[in-house]
Amino acid sequence: MRRFNDVNGALALFEYYEKKGSEALDQYGDSKTYNRCQENIGKIIAYLKCNESVYMLERFHNHPNAVIRIEAALYTLPLDEKKSLKVLKEIVKSGVKESFDAEWIIKRWKKEDLKPFLIKKCTNQEVPEKKIKKNVFKEVIYRVLINLGLVTCKYEKGNH
């Protein structure tokens, strides 16, 4: 991982790794690079959380890259739900290929599956009593892979 000395450096690397990871997956099907980028993003979010600066990801809410906008909105959901949901809904309305991911995040947030996970990951608030589902984030990644056509979705009988 590239080094950063301050919050602005961390934010620049957030943008870099989101772009690099999505390009690796979209263009080359390179899940190894994508996973490495996601690990680095996790470290960046942890750094921003320690510095109470996760809210600064809002600067990417108007980014030209839809993936970066989605991820910034995802991590700022527990901080400013209204603003983040607005960004996600705009992406859904735009019809870009990433709109499926934005729509999925909105649904999971409203069902409150993502809420405990994101509160714990992005804030210093108490996590609600509801158990954190560890597989939710894996499901997000799986849905992205399905959307990109790198993985096929197999429906079991009765699970449509």
Side-chain angles (χ1 to χ4, degrees):
M1 180 170 154
R2 293 182 178 186
R3 299 275 181 211
F4 53 89
N5 298 325
D6 58 9
V7 171
N8 285 326
L11 292 169
L13 283 179
F14 173 84
E15 180 181 23
Y16 170 79
Y17 284 118
E18 283 295 348
K19 186 175 180 184
K20 181 179 177 180
S22 69
E23 285 176 354
L25 205 55
D26 285 347
Q27 295 176 3
Y28 309 108
D30 184 359
S31 59
K32 189 174 181 178
T33 299
Y34 174 81
N35 290 337
R36 211 172 310 119
C37 289
Q38 288 302 308
E39 287 175 20
N40 290 332
I41 289 166
K43 292 174 186 175
I44 292 166
I45 297 300
Y47 176 82
L48 293 174
K49 176 183 171 182
C50 288
N51 288 285
E52 296 182 5
S53 302
V54 175
Y55 74 92
M56 293 182 77
L57 289 171
E58 289 180 355
R59 74 170 57 172
F60 299 117
H61 283 183
N62 294 317
H63 198 278
N65 185 319
V67 172
I68 295 171
R69 279 198 322 268
I70 290 170
E71 292 297 314
L74 172 70
Y75 292 119
T76 57
L77 265 168
L79 306 171
D80 192 341
E81 181 177 0
K82 186 177 178 181
K83 207 183 276 187
S84 297
L85 284 175
K86 181 180 177 190
V87 171
L88 292 168
K89 288 175 182 176
E90 287 172 358
I91 293 169
V92 170
K93 287 180 187 176
S94 72
V96 295
K97 73 178 183 177
E98 293 86 358
S99 63
F100 175 80
D101 300 327
E103 185 175 12
W104 186 88
I105 291 167
I106 293 167
K107 285 179 185 175
R108 300 318 302 181
W109 180 259
K110 288 184 177 179
K111 286 186 174 184
E112 299 199 356
D113 290 348
L114 275 176
K115 197 172 279 192
F117 172 78
L118 288 173
I119 289 172
K120 184 176 182 179
K121 186 165 182 78
C122 303
T123 73
N124 294 317
Q125 300 172 17
E126 282 290 316
V127 177
E129 289 182 27
K130 188 176 180 181
K131 282 187 174 182
I132 296 175
K133 294 184 178 180
K134 294 181 181 182
N135 291 332
V136 170
F137 207 64
K138 288 180 183 178
E139 189 177 336
V140 170
I141 293 170
Y142 181 68
R143 294 286 179 187
V144 169
L145 293 173
I146 289 171
N147 194 34
L148 295 172
L150 299 173
V151 175
T152 58
C153 183
K154 295 180 181 178
Y155 288 102
E156 294 177 346
K157 196 172 192 177
N159 285 344
H160 299 279

